[in-house]
Amino acid sequence: MAERAWPGERLVAGAQRGDAESIAALVSGSHPHVRRFAHALCASPQDAEDAAQEALIVLYRKIGTLRASGALASWMFRIVRNECLRRARTVLQPREVPDGAVPSAEDDVLRRLEAERGAAAIAALPADQRRVLIMRDVQGIPGRMAAEALGLSVAAMKSRLHRARAAVHEALEGGHER
């Protein structure tokens, strides 16, 4: 099955002018590409679907802000990537402050930076490693269930999980001078 091309510059230009038919065709024509980006970048299929929908909403609402009609694919990729990272950050951010203390502004900024680094390290993983890491370490799905959901043996799931954890650890440790 041949992959359809991104909508052409003429359609993008029509959408930028506010032509309703062009906007509808642009969103429809971009949908398969946006979904593919999201499934490659997000941690879970549900996050991918949500990120794709959010990206298409942004496309619909803000097509007029796109500077170059030929830059649609890279613009949509950035929107999807940012949405996937935002979703990963919300999962990674701690929910409460230890001992009920009020965090300082500096502590809050440092926590957010660490969450962003963690989300970026996870997003950079190959899709097979990212999925198993999210299922096991973020969602807390038991090993056997995660393996079954991914169509893997428990040993293969553990191997991917180990590689994913090692890659994230390396990415996070590589950013610190000790």
Side-chain angles (χ1 to χ4, degrees):
M1 177 160 132
E3 183 179 321
R4 290 184 5 200
W6 278 88
E9 289 187 39
R10 191 180 316 210
L11 187 61
V12 173
Q16 287 177 309
R17 287 190 305 272
D19 178 62
E21 286 182 28
S22 295
I23 292 171
L26 181 64
V27 170
S28 176
S30 299
H31 184 251
H33 305 287
V34 168
R35 283 188 79 231
R36 188 180 69 250
F37 285 161
H39 280 275
L41 295 171
C42 285
S44 71
Q46 181 60 44
D47 281 350
E49 290 299 322
D50 291 346
Q53 288 301 313
E54 186 62 32
L56 292 170
I57 290 168
V58 170
L59 172 63
Y60 176 79
R61 290 183 179 162
K62 297 189 176 184
I63 186 60
T65 67
L66 179 63
R67 290 190 187 121
S69 58
L72 178 65
S74 61
W75 187 55
M76 293 308 298
F77 180 82
R78 281 192 314 276
I79 292 169
V80 170
R81 179 184 170 276
N82 290 342
E83 185 62 22
C84 290
L85 285 172
R86 186 191 69 75
R87 290 176 178 284
R89 273 195 301 270
T90 60
V91 170
L92 293 172
Q93 285 179 331
R95 299 284 186 234
E96 56 187 73
V97 178
D99 301 322
V102 176
S104 70
E106 180 181 357
D107 290 338
D108 189 44
V109 167
L110 290 174
R111 256 194 304 285
R112 269 193 260 136
L113 287 173
E114 282 301 309
E116 286 179 20
R117 287 183 65 235
I122 291 170
L125 290 171
D128 61 336
Q129 291 179 19
R130 184 174 54 250
R131 286 186 191 105
V132 73
L133 181 85
I134 293 295
M135 290 178 86
R136 292 287 290 127
D137 292 352
V138 177
Q139 296 173 332
I141 296 172
R144 187 171 304 283
M145 286 178 63
E148 287 174 12
L150 295 168
L152 301 171
S153 68
V154 172
M157 182 277 305
K158 286 181 178 180
S159 176
R160 283 187 191 174
L161 180 59
H162 174 74
R163 287 192 308 270
R165 286 174 175 164
V168 169
H169 179 75
E170 177 65 29
L172 295 177
E173 290 298 313
H176 286 296
E177 297 295 322
R178 291 189 190 234

